[in-house]
């Protein structure tokens, strides 16, 4: 039952990402954190997000703006190690609260 729920959550978030161009992590992360916890949800969202982005990149490769892509890649190169460090070193509840506040601020 849990596996079916996880697949459904990821599938619906992937459909939203494919239709709108963004929103996969915003939709899937809070729901998977409630279901699996932050330590299991973070790598799952990262891996499925990369797979989904790679598929969409193959589909829309002619529309890539290289300058914007490099800016985002530089920000990710700084942010991803900090996020991994935070997940490993901080209390899971504290990370969940920070994630919730970030999502509220973003919305």
């Amino acid at each position: 039952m849990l596996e079916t729920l996880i697949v459904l959550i990821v599938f619906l978030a992937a459909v939203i990402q494919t239709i709108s161009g963004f929103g996969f992590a915003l939709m899937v992360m809070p729901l998977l954190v409630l279901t699996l916890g932050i330590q299991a949800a973070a790598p799952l969202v990262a891996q499925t997000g990369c797979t989904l982005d790679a598929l969409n990149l193959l589909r829309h490769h002619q529309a890539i703006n290289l300058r914007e892509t490099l800016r985002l890649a530089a920000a990710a190169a700084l942010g991803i190690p900090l996020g991994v460090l935070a997940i490993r070193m901080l209390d899971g509840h504290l990370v969940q609260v920070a994630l919730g506040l970030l999502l509220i601020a973003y919305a």
Side-chain angles (χ1 to χ4, degrees), residues 1 3 7 13-14 19 22-25 28-29 35 38 41 50 60 64 68 71 93 96 100-102:
M1 179 69 181
E3 292 85 6
V7 169
I19 291 171
F22 73 99
F24 177 77
V28 79
M29 189 64 167
T35 311
I38 191 75
C50 286
H60 302 292
I64 295 173
E68 289 295 318
R71 284 182 48 209
H93 180 70
Q96 277 184 291
L101 292 173
L102 180 70

Side-chain angles (χ1 to χ4, degrees), residues 8-76:
L8 183 63
I9 290 168
V10 170
F11 176 75
L12 291 175
V15 169
I16 290 170
Q17 163 81 21
T18 302
I19 291 171
S20 68
F22 73 99
F24 177 77
L26 289 173
M27 294 294 296
V28 79
M29 189 64 167
L31 297 173
L32 287 183
V33 166
L34 288 173
T35 311
L36 299 172
I38 191 75
Q39 274 76 19
L44 178 63
V45 170
Q47 185 171 359
T48 54
C50 286
T51 303
L52 179 63
D53 289 340
L55 292 172
N56 283 330
L57 178 65
L58 288 173
R59 226 173 85 199
H60 302 292
H61 68 277
Q62 70 278 4
I64 295 173
N65 180 338
L66 192 56
R67 179 169 283 167
E68 289 295 318
T69 303
L70 291 175
R71 284 182 48 209
L72 289 171

